[in-house]
Short mmCIF file of all heavy atoms in Angstrom, two decimals:
data_model
loop_
_atom_site.label_atom_id
_atom_site.label_comp_id
_atom_site.label_asym_id
_atom_site.label_seq_id
_atom_site.Cartn_x
_atom_site.Cartn_y
_atom_site.Cartn_z
N ASN A 236 -14.80 8.79 -15.19
CA ASN A 236 -16.25 9.03 -15.12
C ASN A 236 -16.59 9.82 -13.86
O ASN A 236 -17.65 9.61 -13.27
CB ASN A 236 -16.99 7.68 -15.14
CG ASN A 236 -18.42 7.83 -15.62
OD1 ASN A 236 -18.78 8.85 -16.22
ND2 ASN A 236 -19.24 6.84 -15.37
N GLN A 306 -21.44 1.47 -13.51
CA GLN A 306 -22.44 2.06 -14.40
C GLN A 306 -22.82 1.09 -15.53
O GLN A 306 -23.34 1.52 -16.55
CB GLN A 306 -21.99 3.42 -14.92
CG GLN A 306 -21.03 3.42 -16.07
CD GLN A 306 -21.22 4.66 -16.94
OE1 GLN A 306 -22.01 5.53 -16.65
NE2 GLN A 306 -20.48 4.72 -18.02
N GLY A 309 -21.41 0.43 -21.33
CA GLY A 309 -22.00 -0.07 -22.56
C GLY A 309 -21.55 0.73 -23.76
O GLY A 309 -21.20 1.90 -23.64
N ALA A 310 -21.54 0.07 -24.90
CA ALA A 310 -21.23 0.75 -26.16
C ALA A 310 -21.54 -0.20 -27.32
O ALA A 310 -21.38 -1.42 -27.18
CB ALA A 310 -19.75 1.16 -26.22
N TYR A 311 -21.96 0.37 -28.42
CA TYR A 311 -22.16 -0.37 -29.66
C TYR A 311 -23.00 -1.64 -29.46
O TYR A 311 -22.66 -2.72 -29.93
CB TYR A 311 -20.79 -0.69 -30.31
CG TYR A 311 -20.04 0.58 -30.60
CD1 TYR A 311 -19.06 1.05 -29.73
CD2 TYR A 311 -20.37 1.36 -31.70
CE1 TYR A 311 -18.42 2.26 -29.96
CE2 TYR A 311 -19.74 2.57 -31.94
CZ TYR A 311 -18.77 3.01 -31.06
OH TYR A 311 -18.15 4.19 -31.29
N GLY A 312 -24.08 -1.47 -28.68
CA GLY A 312 -25.04 -2.56 -28.54
C GLY A 312 -24.67 -3.62 -27.51
O GLY A 312 -25.36 -4.64 -27.42
N TYR A 344 -29.78 0.72 -17.51
CA TYR A 344 -29.06 1.46 -18.56
C TYR A 344 -28.06 2.41 -17.90
O TYR A 344 -28.44 3.36 -17.23
CB TYR A 344 -30.07 2.22 -19.42
CG TYR A 344 -29.44 3.07 -20.48
CD1 TYR A 344 -28.74 2.48 -21.54
CD2 TYR A 344 -29.51 4.45 -20.44
CE1 TYR A 344 -28.14 3.25 -22.51
CE2 TYR A 344 -28.92 5.24 -21.41
CZ TYR A 344 -28.23 4.62 -22.44
OH TYR A 344 -27.63 5.39 -23.41
N ARG A 345 -26.76 2.13 -18.06
CA ARG A 345 -25.66 2.89 -17.43
C ARG A 345 -25.92 3.06 -15.92
O ARG A 345 -25.70 4.13 -15.35
CB ARG A 345 -25.50 4.27 -18.07
CG ARG A 345 -25.37 4.27 -19.57
CD ARG A 345 -24.04 3.70 -20.05
NE ARG A 345 -23.88 3.91 -21.47
CZ ARG A 345 -24.23 3.04 -22.42
NH1 ARG A 345 -24.74 1.85 -22.08
NH2 ARG A 345 -24.05 3.32 -23.69
N GLU A 380 -24.46 -4.66 -36.02
CA GLU A 380 -25.52 -3.89 -36.68
C GLU A 380 -25.63 -2.47 -36.14
O GLU A 380 -26.35 -1.65 -36.66
CB GLU A 380 -26.88 -4.63 -36.59
CG GLU A 380 -27.42 -4.86 -35.20
CD GLU A 380 -26.76 -6.02 -34.45
OE1 GLU A 380 -25.85 -6.69 -34.98
OE2 GLU A 380 -27.14 -6.22 -33.29
N TYR A 381 -24.89 -2.18 -35.09
CA TYR A 381 -25.04 -0.91 -34.39
C TYR A 381 -24.26 0.22 -35.07
O TYR A 381 -23.08 0.04 -35.40
CB TYR A 381 -24.50 -1.09 -32.97
CG TYR A 381 -24.86 0.00 -32.01
CD1 TYR A 381 -25.90 -0.16 -31.10
CD2 TYR A 381 -24.16 1.18 -31.99
CE1 TYR A 381 -26.22 0.83 -30.20
CE2 TYR A 381 -24.47 2.18 -31.11
CZ TYR A 381 -25.50 2.00 -30.21
OH TYR A 381 -25.81 2.98 -29.33
N GLY A 382 -24.94 1.34 -35.24
CA GLY A 382 -24.28 2.55 -35.75
C GLY A 382 -23.45 2.26 -36.99
O GLY A 382 -23.91 1.60 -37.92
N ASN A 383 -22.20 2.72 -36.97
CA ASN A 383 -21.36 2.56 -38.17
C ASN A 383 -20.34 1.41 -38.07
O ASN A 383 -19.32 1.43 -38.73
CB ASN A 383 -20.67 3.88 -38.52
CG ASN A 383 -20.12 4.57 -37.27
OD1 ASN A 383 -20.26 4.02 -36.17
ND2 ASN A 383 -19.52 5.72 -37.43
N ILE A 408 -13.32 3.48 -34.88
CA ILE A 408 -14.42 4.45 -34.82
C ILE A 408 -14.21 5.37 -33.62
O ILE A 408 -14.32 6.59 -33.71
CB ILE A 408 -15.80 3.76 -34.69
CG1 ILE A 408 -16.06 2.82 -35.87
CG2 ILE A 408 -16.91 4.80 -34.58
CD1 ILE A 408 -17.30 1.93 -35.67
N ARG A 409 -13.89 4.76 -32.48
CA ARG A 409 -13.76 5.56 -31.26
C ARG A 409 -12.61 6.56 -31.39
O ARG A 409 -12.72 7.69 -30.92
CB ARG A 409 -13.53 4.64 -30.05
CG ARG A 409 -14.73 3.76 -29.73
CD ARG A 409 -14.50 2.96 -28.46
NE ARG A 409 -14.59 3.83 -27.32
CZ ARG A 409 -15.67 3.93 -26.52
NH1 ARG A 409 -16.71 3.18 -26.71
NH2 ARG A 409 -15.66 4.77 -25.51
N LYS A 412 -13.91 9.41 -33.52
CA LYS A 412 -15.10 10.18 -33.08
C LYS A 412 -14.95 10.87 -31.73
O LYS A 412 -15.63 11.86 -31.47
CB LYS A 412 -16.31 9.24 -33.01
CG LYS A 412 -16.98 8.98 -34.35
CD LYS A 412 -18.30 8.26 -34.18
CE LYS A 412 -19.47 9.21 -34.00
NZ LYS A 412 -20.77 8.50 -34.00
N LEU A 413 -14.11 10.31 -30.88
CA LEU A 413 -14.10 10.80 -29.49
C LEU A 413 -12.83 11.57 -29.17
O LEU A 413 -11.75 11.18 -29.59
CB LEU A 413 -14.22 9.63 -28.52
CG LEU A 413 -15.58 8.94 -28.48
CD1 LEU A 413 -15.49 7.61 -27.76
CD2 LEU A 413 -16.58 9.84 -27.77
N ALA A 422 -14.87 13.50 -19.74
CA ALA A 422 -15.21 12.24 -19.07
C ALA A 422 -16.21 11.45 -19.91
O ALA A 422 -17.12 10.80 -19.40
CB ALA A 422 -15.77 12.52 -17.68
N GLY A 423 -16.07 11.51 -21.23
CA GLY A 423 -17.00 10.81 -22.12
C GLY A 423 -18.35 11.51 -22.08
O GLY A 423 -18.43 12.72 -21.87
N SER A 424 -19.40 10.74 -22.24
CA SER A 424 -20.76 11.32 -22.26
C SER A 424 -21.04 11.93 -20.89
O SER A 424 -20.96 11.23 -19.88
CB SER A 424 -21.80 10.25 -22.53
OG SER A 424 -21.48 9.58 -23.72
N PHE A 425 -21.41 13.19 -20.89
CA PHE A 425 -21.68 13.82 -19.59
C PHE A 425 -23.08 13.43 -19.09
O PHE A 425 -23.31 13.29 -17.90
CB PHE A 425 -21.56 15.34 -19.68
CG PHE A 425 -21.50 15.99 -18.33
CD1 PHE A 425 -20.28 16.17 -17.69
CD2 PHE A 425 -22.66 16.37 -17.67
CE1 PHE A 425 -20.21 16.73 -16.41
CE2 PHE A 425 -22.60 16.94 -16.39
CZ PHE A 425 -21.38 17.10 -15.77
N ASN A 428 -28.51 9.03 -22.14
CA ASN A 428 -29.57 9.20 -23.13
C ASN A 428 -30.90 9.00 -22.42
O ASN A 428 -31.10 7.96 -21.78
CB ASN A 428 -29.43 8.18 -24.25
CG ASN A 428 -28.22 8.47 -25.11
OD1 ASN A 428 -28.00 9.61 -25.49
ND2 ASN A 428 -27.43 7.46 -25.39
N PHE A 449 -35.10 5.21 -30.45
CA PHE A 449 -34.83 3.78 -30.35
C PHE A 449 -35.81 3.19 -29.32
O PHE A 449 -35.64 3.42 -28.12
CB PHE A 449 -33.38 3.54 -29.91
CG PHE A 449 -32.38 4.13 -30.87
CD1 PHE A 449 -31.85 5.40 -30.66
CD2 PHE A 449 -32.01 3.44 -32.01
CE1 PHE A 449 -30.94 5.95 -31.55
CE2 PHE A 449 -31.11 3.99 -32.92
CZ PHE A 449 -30.58 5.25 -32.69
N GLN A 451 -37.47 0.92 -26.65
CA GLN A 451 -36.84 0.07 -25.64
C GLN A 451 -37.77 -1.08 -25.25
O GLN A 451 -39.00 -0.99 -25.45
CB GLN A 451 -36.52 0.90 -24.39
CG GLN A 451 -35.58 2.06 -24.67
CD GLN A 451 -34.22 1.62 -25.20
OE1 GLN A 451 -33.41 1.07 -24.48
NE2 GLN A 451 -33.98 1.85 -26.49
N LYS A 457 -35.94 5.58 -26.38
CA LYS A 457 -34.66 6.27 -26.10
C LYS A 457 -34.41 7.33 -27.16
O LYS A 457 -34.55 7.06 -28.35
CB LYS A 457 -33.52 5.26 -26.07
CG LYS A 457 -32.17 5.87 -25.72
CD LYS A 457 -31.09 4.82 -25.59
CE LYS A 457 -30.65 4.32 -26.94
NZ LYS A 457 -29.59 3.31 -26.86
N PRO A 459 -31.47 10.11 -28.35
CA PRO A 459 -30.07 10.47 -28.06
C PRO A 459 -29.93 11.88 -27.48
O PRO A 459 -30.37 12.87 -28.08
CB PRO A 459 -29.39 10.38 -29.43
CG PRO A 459 -30.26 9.48 -30.23
CD PRO A 459 -31.67 9.72 -29.75
N ALA A 460 -29.32 11.95 -26.30
CA ALA A 460 -29.12 13.25 -25.64
C ALA A 460 -28.29 14.17 -26.53
O ALA A 460 -28.49 15.39 -26.55
CB ALA A 460 -28.46 13.03 -24.29
N GLN A 483 -19.02 15.92 -30.80
CA GLN A 483 -19.83 15.06 -29.92
C GLN A 483 -20.50 15.94 -28.88
O GLN A 483 -19.92 16.27 -27.85
CB GLN A 483 -18.92 14.07 -29.18
CG GLN A 483 -18.50 12.87 -29.97
CD GLN A 483 -19.60 11.82 -30.01
OE1 GLN A 483 -20.60 11.95 -29.32
NE2 GLN A 483 -19.42 10.81 -30.83
N LEU A 485 -22.54 15.40 -26.70
CA LEU A 485 -22.76 14.78 -25.38
C LEU A 485 -21.52 14.88 -24.49
O LEU A 485 -21.58 14.60 -23.30
CB LEU A 485 -23.14 13.31 -25.63
CG LEU A 485 -23.88 12.52 -24.59
CD1 LEU A 485 -24.98 13.33 -23.95
CD2 LEU A 485 -24.43 11.25 -25.21
N VAL A 486 -20.41 15.25 -25.10
CA VAL A 486 -19.14 15.28 -24.35
C VAL A 486 -18.80 16.73 -23.99
O VAL A 486 -18.63 17.57 -24.87
CB VAL A 486 -18.01 14.65 -25.20
CG1 VAL A 486 -16.67 14.74 -24.48
CG2 VAL A 486 -18.33 13.19 -25.53
N GLU A 520 -24.47 11.42 -16.33
CA GLU A 520 -23.94 10.05 -16.23
C GLU A 520 -22.69 10.08 -15.35
O GLU A 520 -22.37 9.12 -14.66
CB GLU A 520 -23.59 9.57 -17.64
CG GLU A 520 -23.04 8.16 -17.65
CD GLU A 520 -22.65 7.70 -19.05
OE1 GLU A 520 -23.55 7.58 -19.90
OE2 GLU A 520 -21.45 7.48 -19.27
P1 NAP B 728 -23.74 7.06 -32.19
O1 NAP B 728 -23.36 5.75 -32.81
O2 NAP B 728 -23.51 8.33 -32.93
O3 NAP B 728 -25.27 6.99 -31.77
C1 NAP B 728 -25.89 8.10 -31.11
C2 NAP B 728 -26.78 7.59 -30.02
O4 NAP B 728 -27.83 6.80 -30.59
C3 NAP B 728 -26.02 6.73 -29.06
O5 NAP B 728 -25.98 7.41 -27.86
C4 NAP B 728 -26.78 5.42 -28.98
O6 NAP B 728 -27.27 5.11 -27.69
C5 NAP B 728 -27.97 5.57 -29.91
N1 NAP B 728 -27.95 4.48 -30.89
C6 NAP B 728 -27.30 4.44 -32.08
N2 NAP B 728 -27.57 3.29 -32.74
C7 NAP B 728 -28.38 2.59 -31.93
C8 NAP B 728 -29.01 1.32 -32.03
N3 NAP B 728 -28.87 0.55 -33.12
N4 NAP B 728 -29.78 0.89 -31.01
C9 NAP B 728 -29.94 1.65 -29.92
N5 NAP B 728 -29.38 2.86 -29.76
C10 NAP B 728 -28.62 3.33 -30.74
O7 NAP B 728 -23.07 7.16 -30.75
P2 NAP B 728 -21.62 7.63 -30.30
O8 NAP B 728 -21.78 8.83 -29.49
O9 NAP B 728 -20.67 7.61 -31.45
O10 NAP B 728 -21.22 6.43 -29.32
C11 NAP B 728 -21.09 5.12 -29.81
C12 NAP B 728 -21.27 4.14 -28.65
O11 NAP B 728 -20.25 4.37 -27.68
C13 NAP B 728 -22.60 4.31 -27.95
O12 NAP B 728 -23.07 3.06 -27.55
C14 NAP B 728 -22.27 5.15 -26.75
O13 NAP B 728 -23.11 4.90 -25.64
C15 NAP B 728 -20.84 4.73 -26.45
N6 NAP B 728 -20.09 5.84 -25.84
C16 NAP B 728 -20.33 6.08 -24.52
C17 NAP B 728 -19.65 7.11 -23.88
C18 NAP B 728 -19.85 7.33 -22.41
O14 NAP B 728 -19.09 8.07 -21.82
N7 NAP B 728 -20.83 6.72 -21.81
C19 NAP B 728 -18.76 7.90 -24.57
C20 NAP B 728 -18.59 7.64 -25.93
C21 NAP B 728 -19.26 6.60 -26.55
P3 NAP B 728 -26.40 4.37 -26.55
O15 NAP B 728 -25.48 5.40 -26.04
O16 NAP B 728 -27.45 3.98 -25.58
O17 NAP B 728 -25.71 3.20 -27.13
#
Side-chain angles (χ1 to χ4, degrees):
N236 203 16
Q306 81 150 3
Y311 301 98
Y344 177 66
R345 308 289 189 267
E380 62 282 0
Y381 194 100
N383 43 1
I408 301 170
R409 294 185 73 101
K412 279 190 89 173
L413 289 166
S424 305
F425 194 88
N428 290 314
F449 301 95
Q451 301 299 288
K457 183 175 75 179
Q483 280 280 352
L485 201 42
V486 177
E520 181 182 295

